[in-house]
Amino acid sequence: MSDVGAVRSSHSIMSAVHDAIFRWYALLGGIAAWTIHLLVVAAIVRLTCNAHRYTIVMHLATAVTLLMTAAALALSVKVLRSGSRDDTSDAEGGRQRFFGLLGVIVGVFNFALISLEELYVILLHAKRCG
């Protein structure tokens, strides 16, 4: 009988870890993607002035980080929909709804930041180098 309890305990711990990673990525995935994008673009901007063929790296960084942010947004919407409608609720459902809504707001903001940085690459970068 103790083996059944150990299996249930192990399963609940793993599902709790999975849920925590799921929720935190939903909230912070967009921030991490924007940070990665900013660092990659800033690191290679001077290189692309001298060797234009590396500009594709900036476009690829944008595509990858936009996909990361879109995944975080999708997870945030899933968390938002799994929460309760009662915003004043102190139960788990109310916290999930808040967490999901905050994740959507953060994700949209970071998606916009990454997109605006891509506009720099497309419109302004070539003119500033030449």
Side-chain angles (χ1 to χ4, degrees), residues 45-46 48-50 52 120 124-130:
V45 71
R46 179 47 82 191
T48 59
C49 283
N50 298 327
H52 294 289
Y120 163 78
L124 299 176
H125 179 63
K127 293 178 182 176
R128 291 188 52 117
C129 289

Side-chain angles (χ1 to χ4, degrees), residues 25-31 33-34 65-66 68-74 76 99-115:
Y25 184 77
L27 181 63
L28 300 176
I31 296 171
W34 172 68
T65 54
L66 283 176
M68 289 172 61
T69 306
L73 268 168
S76 293
F99 213 76
L101 185 60
L102 186 61
V104 168
I105 292 168
V106 168
V108 167
F109 187 72
N110 285 297
F111 198 91
L113 285 173
I114 293 168
S115 299

Side-chain angles (χ1 to χ4, degrees), residues 21-122:
I21 291 171
F22 176 82
R23 288 182 191 169
W24 282 108
Y25 184 77
L27 181 63
L28 300 176
I31 296 171
W34 172 68
T35 304
I36 290 167
H37 185 262
L38 187 64
L39 290 173
V40 168
V41 170
I44 65 172
V45 71
R46 179 47 82 191
L47 173 66
T48 59
C49 283
N50 298 327
H52 294 289
R53 67 183 178 273
Y54 291 110
T55 304
I56 191 71
V57 175
M58 290 197 285
H59 297 302
L60 288 173
T62 299
V64 169
T65 54
L66 283 176
L67 286 174
M68 289 172 61
T69 306
L73 268 168
L75 291 176
S76 293
V77 169
K78 187 174 179 180
V79 170
L80 178 64
R81 288 184 179 162
S82 69
S84 71
R85 292 275 182 200
D86 185 12
D87 289 336
T88 61
S89 172
D90 202 22
E92 179 66 21
R95 285 190 295 267
Q96 275 190 299
R97 182 166 167 75
F98 171 75
F99 213 76
L101 185 60
L102 186 61
V104 168
I105 292 168
V106 168
V108 167
F109 187 72
N110 285 297
F111 198 91
L113 285 173
I114 293 168
S115 299
L116 287 172
E117 289 169 4
E118 177 63 14
L119 283 177
Y120 163 78
V121 173
I122 294 170

